[in-house]
């Protein structure tokens, strides 16, 4: 797989590390929240969709930026890559 | 087969340049440019191997990568290379090959099996037997395993060696706009077109030369096109290079055989090279594979694909027989016939399964001087060793059966053509379903929206010549008595396919798995379609609905060494500290800690590891020792929110840590379990230096970056890994301060200036250093940091300064012993399943602020006091126990009872003069004082009485380190 | 009914093998069943078989969207072992191991369970202690285990490079002698045949496309072959768990789907007599009865339903193979493929009633569910039949995550791609 | 307590290169047509990481320019006489110079616009020059080294398996590679191995650089 890093350009999969569903990261309960159920859901539950998936990758073997990558989990086709900005994923 | 070399002709051979090689211990001669296959055919060799299951003699069938039979072992530079197709070996002087699977030494059981005869060994027979009796003594899996041994020995192809491969493999990363796979005419056309548009082009071609079919069929334009292409400066041509896989994003893996075809290699030259080509567009012009026909005796040496014979004749000047018959279901074989005729071959007859044949074909047959027999089929072959004759009979292609008496024809070579299958393998790697083309009777590439195109025969663009049709008759099988092979290499017969169907295996994928059709080293390049056609017949469904099995990388087998490439023989990079060479020179035994190399201990006078570490640990407790801790992860944390950030990531507070002080910190994962620990130093109001454990340096950095970039982007903090910037050494022991006082200038190191957890800046032997008073050993101790390039210098200075106090270096083992005595945790305790409470670190859980993991750490399952908690264990009778031992109640090693926990770490304690350890024991704190056993049945068989004690076993009050 | 035996093989051979019967019928779906099992993989088929054989519930349909065994049962590296650390896992997998030992007899189908042993190599003193910890746990849990020293390893695996090219010598190995491999496809076929013989309807090419609900209760399924009703519906669809449960409105589960690749070389004569794992990376190797060396390594590490992997893992795995066995550098990779795994948040499985009334869930097998097949079917059948978990699967509940009773063999926490 | 030091310049007399022992000047490998690459270490350089706060990237680039004379901008990397600089991550520059006071000068220049971290000891700078340079590098890095894709002065961050590396093109046939000091020896070994088939020369440190 080749991921087009918005800063570095297209780079090999091997340079990236995965951080999962971007929507999940965006929905993390506020720091200090004591809503146990919200935390349970956040830490353990996954949507795991078959199809378009907005996810977070870190270009750990390159510029170390976190990226938001929209990828189809059935075909691995990448349709969108941006530097991660929390608003976008909300 | 009575093949021979013609006195002239042969496009790629050099007449005059004779090559000597060895096959099965016998010397043969070939010509430069020959493949092993062409040279063997020229030498009249017909049997080159034995089949997989029935061990039938087999000859050469194809001329390229689709060859199913002629597999040999190449004995090169020490390491055996089994299963190499004779059609892909370019001979060179000194080449040594041997045939495979040839004289199987079957032992008694196997022979008994064989006597049952062929039909008992039909597809899947092993599923129905060898279960043995249900009960002892042959119950369970015993019977099967006894038979399995024999079956395994009988199966398999070549033999793998045990000697290490000493050859070199390389990797090259390449980038281009257009990658053309296949250097035949359509490929060259694509490459030229892209090159003229100033695209960067790479062309890869399996063969040593470009041209493909156009070259051997004598296309008049091809050499000019090749010359033109070679002249383009934006085209890179890779011959002897097979594209074997297309991965996401058009990353194409290809294998170049750099020097396999030569006896000698230049210094540093690889045997093979793995190319990873990232291409904007991939143009596949990979040609097509001719299909065999399925008829009884079709596996006899001397039966060959029609196009293969044509290719041998054109490229190598070799003819496979003196009297050649052809059997076909399509027109392309007529092209072969005429081409062979043009090279003086004696084509005696063309047997066409079709009852109607076009005028074009008819006239070709007559030009070729071959008697045309339409509506007929080969129903048997005969011969000893090779082919002597065939039986031909009238044939009804609807029933697939002969309809009349057969007639014998004497011939020494039978060419077959079942039509063509486009080479859509690479285009199918993404997993789309190939599309059926009912005219061509072939599967075409799936459309999957990638930047990929197909050209020439690979796209189903077959041109066989004027007046000839690209459409074969949909009949691939002649149903007559006798074994008719579909998959030559795996010995799968037409009856096997029907048996699978009869037993309910109706999917092509089932038939593949049940019969192993298409699972051999040729992956069904030739056999798949005929097999699927037989299944379609059995099902009474059109082939289109039956479909084809899934294509997977690699396109042709690829050496494991080439995929490992530069990592072969050099898998793990080595990380060394600035003091590494000193350690090695001073007798350290180095051990791997992740990529790091660290001293385990410094052996003197032939000490054992245990003797060495005890000596080293004693030195620290009684005098002074020094240890290299440069491997600790170090992260520079800067910014106005640095303190707030640390308060979120650590369980304890860092905001109120004064500048010039350090603090021990604990991190949890989001799920509430312990993640890592370490000290963090406040160097300025908005600047900290965080240290992590060696193992977790990378993960902690990633963890922090993630929270900073993704979760809390408003926090203004910058992180930089400075692990490599600093050399770090800990000076520990009652005399540590004396040593520092003797050498450090520009600062005092007395208790007032440098109290526990204090930080000072000074100089050692001219070099600026930063010193923090920290103790992992429980003794008074200091961590000295300096620029890494100065590390060895400072270390030497400290060793020299420490001489009056007998300073000694200590290694990981002593470090471990000291921390065990002191009850400090490391990775053995922080194993991802322990909580802060389990590790007696609940005092570090701030109640004044939330932190990562605080929301989850109090869940039901994480708090019971019955959980395993960290305790100390002390050997009661002085006996040694071992790390990894489990803690049990029973005194009887034979009946130890259930595990209560395990010893995470153990050592000989110089302080207690006995073996002690740390353990995670259920209800640990409630068991203090209990006498239990550390049992190690799997390793040492020791069963040692131990007392459970508090985890801090030395200086619980901390007087020694604070003093 | 013709039972399989050597005698039958010979008798049939004399008759030209014309008289063998289909392993399972090809029934059309009935309108309703007592139990529907969604998913014709190993676990679904085993569940159906044990429902019939252990609980007398034969009015069962197994619905498979493709061909039987097309999921992970048909693409795994066939390793069967019970060398677990945590007692809950140890008990379950050891029970499975015992079932494997008699499975061919039980099914009257040779699943070729070959107890050739698995050896986990270790390379540093710390790893040796970890191996001892695990080995001792196994012995205390009644599972077989032994330490193997380098000399023995060298004898058993002449091609193994004990020195290691780069600083990770082989110090020894932890062996489970009873572990081994089985013929993966045969397990599916054997269970299918045995279940069919007890009256279970095995329905291929029947994809479940929705659930029929009565309030919250699940009462049937929509399929590509029509609606089918049932009192109880067990879902055992491995990598497709999230997709299938989403059809019932469950939009999040402690599961992610990830692709794991596997590899096989061209076949060679026997050269590796046990299963071996490398401690300096992530690799396991064994040799199939056909002669191919079969490898697996890490998962690719991102959500995927694509059943195929990417190149970096191919490179990693081959690098590790030739690190351990430098003589194999000249052997050739024949085929690589992928499967979609149901990675759970702690790396351990889920076998439970729920999450909706009328529904039962069997999932979270990660890359280790092949060895579980018999026990999984056995426990899932028990759970479905009695509405209570069997003691062996009581810990494999869905709420263990939220309650904090995770079963985390690897200690990786809720990062499924690291398990 | 003394002021925390911002940087620890490399002092020639006391510093040691991690690859000193491997840097044996001479010609190696396939020398049939002479050495086609030259390998050397640039030891003792000042190396800094400059990280701008969001929105202050231009100001930071200007500050780097002021401190070093390098014509870096938000978009452009630069190779100068006495210094080199390139952006390896958004808003984040590596600056290399021979002047040991680099860190101090940068810190002063960027003031509150950015942070500066001294990495003079933490990184090893290797130089590869010559005709076959890009062929050698292509074996180790999945980077397009064509001049169009990787023009002179451009720098980037990438990795060779576990070894992170920053690469700057100094001129058409010369590249500087920055790798972590602890991996330098292993990496240098990989580099020489990759160079063997082309023939390579190890070039001694320049006069005036520390004898190591
Ligand atoms: C490459 C690889 C290697 C592995 N190696 C090992 C190993 O060595 N040892 C080990 O123990 N385990 C291993 N595993 C794991 C093991 O294969 C799986 O855990 C196990 O097979 C899962 O259970 P199953 O057989 O029921 O799943 P599957 O065979 O995947 O069965 C699920 C079935 O459900 C069907 N299905 C899905 N959706 C629907 C629907 N909507 N309607 C109807 N049917 C549907 C699928 O088609 C599939 O057939 C490996 C897995 C992979 C991929
Ligand atoms: N009567 C006949 O025999 C007859 C007549 C017409 C055509 N044909 C067949 O049709 C085809 C002609 O097709 P074409 O002109 O499209 O192609 P071609 O066969 O001339 O060229 C395809 C080329 O691609 C190469 N190739 C294939 N896979 C590759 C890979 N993975 N990596 C690198 N190189 C690869 C092959 O070595 C070959 O040289 C031939 O297969 C030919 O035999 C046969
Ligand atoms: C244990 C095992 C051994 C295998 N051996 C072979 C083999 O010798 N030849 C082969 O072509 N495929 C072999 N395969 C792979 C299958 O052909 C197939 O790729 C795999 O089952 C996945 O199916 P798919 O590729 O159709 O998706 C093997 C698979 C397994 C699980
Ligand atoms: Zn990037």
């Amino acid at each position: 797989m080749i991921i087009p890093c918005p800063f570095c350009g297209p780079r090999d999969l091997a340079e990236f590390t995965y951080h999962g569903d971007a929507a999940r990261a965006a929905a993390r309960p506020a720091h200090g929240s004591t809503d146990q159920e919200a935390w349970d859901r956040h830490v353990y539950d996954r949507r795991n969709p078959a199809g378009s998936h907005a996810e977070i990758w870190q270009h750990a073997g390159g510029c170390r930026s976190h990226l938001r990558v929209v990828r189809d989990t059935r075909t691995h086709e990448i349709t969108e890559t941006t530097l991660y900005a929390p608003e976008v994923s909300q | 087969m009575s093949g021979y070399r013609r006195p002239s002709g042969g496009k790629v051979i050099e007449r005059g340049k004779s090559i000597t090689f060895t096959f099965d211990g016998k010397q043969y001669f070939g010509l430069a440019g020959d493949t092993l296959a062409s040279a063997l055919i020229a030498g009249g060799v017909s049997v080159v191997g034995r089949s997989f299951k029935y061990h039938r003699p087999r000859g050469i069938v194809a001329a390229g990568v689709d060859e199913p039979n002629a597999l040999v072992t190449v004995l090169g530079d020490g390491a055996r290379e089994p299963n190499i197709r004779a059609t892909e070996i370019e001979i060179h002087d000194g080449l040594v090959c041997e045939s495979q699977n040839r004289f199987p030494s079957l032992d008694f059981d196997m022979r008994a099996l064989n006597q049952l005869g062929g039909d008992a060994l039909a597809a899947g027979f092993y599923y129905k037997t060898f279960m043995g009796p249900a009960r002892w003594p042959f119950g369970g899996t015993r019977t099967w395993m006894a038979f399995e041994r024999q079956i395994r020995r009988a199966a398999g192809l070549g033999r793998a060696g045990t000697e290490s491969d000493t050859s070199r493999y390389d990797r090259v990363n390449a980038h281009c706009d257009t990658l053309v796979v296949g250097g035949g005419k359509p490929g060259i056309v694509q490459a030229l077109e892209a090159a003229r548009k100033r695209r960067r082009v790479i062309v890869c071609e399996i063969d040593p030369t470009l041209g493909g079919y156009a070259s051997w069929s004598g296309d008049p334009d091809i050499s000019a096109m090749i010359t033109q292409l070679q002249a383009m400066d934006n085209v890179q041509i890779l011959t002897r290079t097979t594209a074997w896989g297309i991965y996401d994003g058009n990353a194409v893996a290809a294998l170049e055989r750099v020097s396999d075809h030569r006896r000698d290699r230049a210094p540093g030259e690889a045997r093979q090279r793995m190319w990873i080509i990232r291409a904007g567009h991939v143009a596949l012009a990979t040609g097509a594979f001719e299909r065999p026909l399925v008829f009884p005796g079709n596996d006899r040496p001397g039966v060959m694909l029609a196009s293969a014979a044509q290719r041998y004749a054109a490229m190598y000047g070799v003819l496979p027989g003196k009297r050649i018959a052809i059997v076909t279901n399509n027109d392309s074989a007529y092209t072969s016939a005429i081409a062979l005729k043009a090279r003086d071959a004696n084509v005696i007859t063309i047997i066409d399964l079709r009852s109607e044949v076009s005028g074009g074909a008819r006239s070709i047959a007559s030009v070729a001087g071959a008697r045309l027999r339409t509506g007929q089929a080969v129903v048997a072959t005969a011969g000893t060793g090779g082919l002597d004759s065939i039986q031909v009979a009238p044939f009804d292609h609807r029933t697939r059966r002969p309809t009349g008496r057969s007639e014998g024809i004497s011939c020494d070579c039978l060419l077959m053509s079942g039509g063509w299958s486009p080479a859509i393998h690479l285009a199918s790697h993404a997993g789309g379903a190939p599309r059926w083309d009912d005219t061509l009777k072939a599967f075409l590439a799936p459309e999957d929206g990638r930047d990929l195109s197909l050209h020439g025969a690979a796209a189903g663009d077959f041109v066989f010549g004027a007046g000839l049709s690209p459409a074969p008759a949909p009949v691939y099988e002649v149903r007559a008595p006798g074994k008719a092979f579909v998959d030559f290499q795996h010995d799968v017969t037409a009856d096997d396919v029907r048996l699978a169907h009869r037993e309910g295996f109706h999917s092509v994928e089932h038939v593949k798995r049940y019969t192993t059709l298409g699972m051999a080293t040729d992956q069904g390049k030739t056999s798949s379609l005929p097999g699927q056609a037989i299944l379609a017949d059995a099902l009474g469904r059109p082939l289109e609905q039956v479909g084809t099995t899934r294509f997977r990388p690699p396109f042709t087998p690829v050496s494991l060494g080439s995929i490992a490439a530069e990592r072969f023989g050099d898998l793990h990079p080595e990380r060394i500290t600035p003091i590494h060479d000193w350690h090695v020179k001073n007798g350290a035994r180095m051990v791997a800690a992740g990529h790091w190399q660290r001293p385990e201990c410094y052996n003197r006078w032939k000490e054992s590891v245990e003797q060495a570490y005890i000596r080293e640990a004693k030195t620290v407790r009684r005098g002074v020792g020094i240890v290299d801790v440069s491997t600790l992860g170090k992260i520079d944390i800067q910014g106005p929110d640095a303190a707030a950030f640390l308060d979120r990531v650590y369980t304890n507070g860092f905001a109120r840590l004064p500048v010039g002080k350090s603090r021990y910190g604990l991190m949890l994962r989001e799920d509430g379990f312990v993640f890592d620990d370490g000290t963090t130093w406040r160097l300025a109001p908005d600047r900290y230096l965080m240290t992590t454990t060696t193992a977790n340096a990378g993960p902690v950095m990633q963890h922090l970056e993630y929270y900073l970039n993704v979760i809390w982007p408003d926090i203004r903090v910058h992180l930089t890994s400075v692990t490599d910037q600093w050399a770090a050494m800990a000076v520990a022991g009652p005399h540590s301060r004396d040593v520092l006082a003797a050498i450090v200038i520009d600062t005092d190191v007395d208790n007032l200036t440098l109290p526990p957890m204090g930080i000072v800046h000074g100089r050692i032997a001219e070099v600026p250093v930063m010193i923090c008073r920290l103790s992992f050993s429980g003794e008074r101790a200091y961590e000295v940091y300096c620029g890494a390039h100065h590390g060895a210098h400072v270390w030497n200075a400290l060793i020299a300064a420490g001489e009056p106090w007998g300073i000694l270096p200590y290694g990981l083992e002593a470090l471990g012993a000291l921390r065990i005595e002191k009850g400090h945790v490391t990775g053995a305790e922080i194993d991802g399943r322990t909580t802060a409470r389990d590790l007696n670190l609940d005092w570090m859980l701030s109640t004044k602020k939330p932190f990562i993991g605080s929301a989850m750490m109090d869940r039901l399952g994480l708090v019971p006091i019955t959980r395993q908690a960290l305790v100390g264990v002390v050997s009661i009778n002085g006996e040694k126990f071992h790390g990894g031992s489990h803690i049990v109640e029973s005194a009887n090693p034979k009946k130890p009872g259930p595990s209560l926990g395990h010893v995470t770490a153990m050592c000989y304690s110089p302080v207690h003069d006995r073996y002690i350890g740390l353990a995670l024991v259920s209800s640990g704190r409630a068991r203090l004082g209990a006498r239990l056993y550390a049992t190690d049945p799997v390793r040492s068989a020791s069963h040692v009485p131990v007392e459970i004690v508090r985890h801090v076993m030395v200086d619980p009050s901390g007087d020694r380190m604070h003093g | 009914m013709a039972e399989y035996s050597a005698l039958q093989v010979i008798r049939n051979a004399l008759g030209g093998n014309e008289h063998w019967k289909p392993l399972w019928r090809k029934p059309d779906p009935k309108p309703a069943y007592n139990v529907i099992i969604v998913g014709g993989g190993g676990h679904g088929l085993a569940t159906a078989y044990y429902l019939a054989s252990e609980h007398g519930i034969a009015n069962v349909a197994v619905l498979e969207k493709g061909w039987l065994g097309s999921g992970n049962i048909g693409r795994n590296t066939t390793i069967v072992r019970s060398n677990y650390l945590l007692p809950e896992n140890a008990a379950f997998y050891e029970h499975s191991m015992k079932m494997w030992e008699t499975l061919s007899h039980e099914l009257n189908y040779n699943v070729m369970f070959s107890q050739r042993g698995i050896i986990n190599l270790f390379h540093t003193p710390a790893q040796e202690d970890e191996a001892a910890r695990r080995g001792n746990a196994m012995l205390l849990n009644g599972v077989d285990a032994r330490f193997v020293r380098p000399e023995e390893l060298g004898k058993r695996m002449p091609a193994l490079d004990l020195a290691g090219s780069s600083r990770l010598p082989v110090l020894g190995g932890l062996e489970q002698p009873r572990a081994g491999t089985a013929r993966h496809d045969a397990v599916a076929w054997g269970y299918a045949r045995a279940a069919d013989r007890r009256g279970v309807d095995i329905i291929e090419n029947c994809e479940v496309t929705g659930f029929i609900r009565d309030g919250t209760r699940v009462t049937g399924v929509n399929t590509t072959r029509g609606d089918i009703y049932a009192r109880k519906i067990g879902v055992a669809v491995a990598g497709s768990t999230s997709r299938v449960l989403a059809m019932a409105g469950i939009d999040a589960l402690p599961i992610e789907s990830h692709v794991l690749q596997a590899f096989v070389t061209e076949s060679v004569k026997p050269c590796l007599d046990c299963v071996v794992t490398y401690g300096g990376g992530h690799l396991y190797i064994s040799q199939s009865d056909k002669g191919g060396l079969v490898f697996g390594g890490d998962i690719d590490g991102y959500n995927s339903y694509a059943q195929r992997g990417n190149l970096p893992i191919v490179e990693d795995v081959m690098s590790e193979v030739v690190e351990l066995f430098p003589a194999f550098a000249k052997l050739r990779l024949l085929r690589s493929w992928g499967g979609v795994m149901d990675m759970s948040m702690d790396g351990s499985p889920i076998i439970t009633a729920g999450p909706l009334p009328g529904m039962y869930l069997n999932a979270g097998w990660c890359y280790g569910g092949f060895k579980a097949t018999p026990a999984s079917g056995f426990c899932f059948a028990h759970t479905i039949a009695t509405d209570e978990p069997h003691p062996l699967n009581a810990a494999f509940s869905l709420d263990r995550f939220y309650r904090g009773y995770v079963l985390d063999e690897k200690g990786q926490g809720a990062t499924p791609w690291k398990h | 307590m003394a002021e925390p030091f911002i940087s620890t310049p490399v002092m020639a007399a006391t510093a040691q290169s991690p690859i000193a022992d491997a840097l044996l000047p001479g010609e190696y490998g396939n020398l049939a047509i002479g050495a086609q690459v030259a390998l050397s270490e640039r030891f003792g350089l000042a190396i800094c990481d400059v990280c701008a706060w969001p929105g202050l990237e231009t100001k930071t680039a200007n500050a780097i320019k002021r401190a070093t004379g390098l014509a870096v901008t938000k978009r452009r990397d630069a190779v100068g006489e006495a210094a080199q600089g390139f952006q390896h991550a958004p808003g984040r520059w590596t600056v290399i110079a021979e002047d040991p006071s680099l860190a101090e000068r940068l810190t002063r220049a960027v003031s509150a616009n950015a942070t500066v971290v001294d990495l003079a000891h933490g990184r090893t700078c290797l130089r590869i020059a010559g005709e076959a340079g890009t062929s050698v590098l292509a074996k180790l890095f999945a980077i397009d080294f064509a001049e169009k894709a990787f023009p002179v002065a451009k720098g980037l961050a990438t990795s060779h398996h576990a070894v992170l590396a920053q690469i700057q093109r100094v001129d058409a046939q010369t590249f500087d590679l920055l790798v972590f000091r602890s991996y330098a020896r292993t990496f240098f070994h990989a580099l020489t191995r990759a160079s063997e088939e082309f023939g390579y020369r190890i070039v001694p440190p320049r006069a005036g650089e520390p004898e190591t």
Side-chain angles (χ1 to χ4, degrees), chain B residues 512-513 519 523 552, chain C residues 74-76 184 290 335 337:
Chain B
K512 164 184 152 176
R513 285 157 179 77
M519 296 179 82
Q523 290 283 290
R552 294 281 194 182
Chain C
R75 53 191 68 243
N76 67 76
H184 54 289
K290 199 153 78 56
R335 190 173 171 99
W337 62 96

Side-chain angles (χ1 to χ4, degrees), chain B residues 181-182 184 186 205-206 213 241 243 285-286 288 310 332 335 420 457 463-464 555:
Chain B
V181 181
E205 165 55 49
I206 297 172
Y213 172 73
T241 303
T286 43
Q310 187 187 344
S332 83
T335 323
W420 292 81
V463 190
F464 295 150
F555 169 66

